[in-house]
Amino acid sequence: MNGARRNPRDFWEKGRGTGAGAPRPLGGVPSGAPRAARPSRLAVPDEPRPTGPPPRVGGAVAALVVSLLTLAVPILGISLGFWFFVLVTNVPGIGFGIAALTKIPDEAAVERFLRYTWACNLAYVVLSVVFLVPVMVLALMMMMAGF
């Protein structure tokens, strides 16, 4: 790649670049002060302007939505009469997803709970497949037997 071009990830991680951040007031001088005391409009603020969204809000919402969608498996199992599907509800994934959303200002906590949520979602999908295969075999055997 061209050495002059920067990686897009650097833009979000380091907070540098020409992002469309919210405009900040350039000085603490009230508008009624004499013109000589006001800073010029071309003055550069000491602090860099924020250029990115809050830490991983979209990822946390997506993880929570996927955790809530996993409730379809226990609901389907209960509707088929298999009560033990209640035991494989993704309660930890839903709890970690909610915790990730409640920790929004703290980037480290959001990232940690986001990893926990996706790990629970992945484990839940694997566990659902393990439970689904015997149920399908049982249903096939019942159909072949004519029950």
Side-chain angles (χ1 to χ4, degrees), residues 73-99:
V73 174
I75 291 171
L76 179 65
I78 291 171
S79 68
L80 292 174
F82 299 118
W83 61 270
F84 59 86
F85 269 85
V86 174
L87 301 174
V88 293
T89 305
N90 192 7
V91 175
I94 295 170
F96 286 137
I98 292 170

Side-chain angles (χ1 to χ4, degrees), residues 24 26 44-48:
R24 300 172 113 192
L26 293 177
V44 179
D46 293 337
E47 299 176 12

Side-chain angles (χ1 to χ4, degrees), residues 67 90-94 96 115-125:
S67 294
N90 192 7
V91 175
I94 295 170
F96 286 137
R115 283 192 306 267
Y116 295 161
T117 305
W118 282 116
C120 287
N121 290 343
L122 179 64
Y124 182 79
V125 168

Side-chain angles (χ1 to χ4, degrees), residues 39-66:
S40 70
R41 294 208 181 262
L42 299 176
V44 179
D46 293 337
E47 299 176 12
R49 292 182 7 192
T51 57
R56 305 293 303 238
V57 175
V61 170
L64 181 61
V65 167
V66 170

Side-chain angles (χ1 to χ4, degrees), residues 127-144:
L127 188 63
S128 295
V129 169
V130 168
F131 271 92
L132 185 65
V133 170
V135 168
M136 289 178 63
V137 169
L138 181 65
L140 183 64
M141 291 176 67
M142 289 175 66
M143 273 194 334
M144 292 178 77

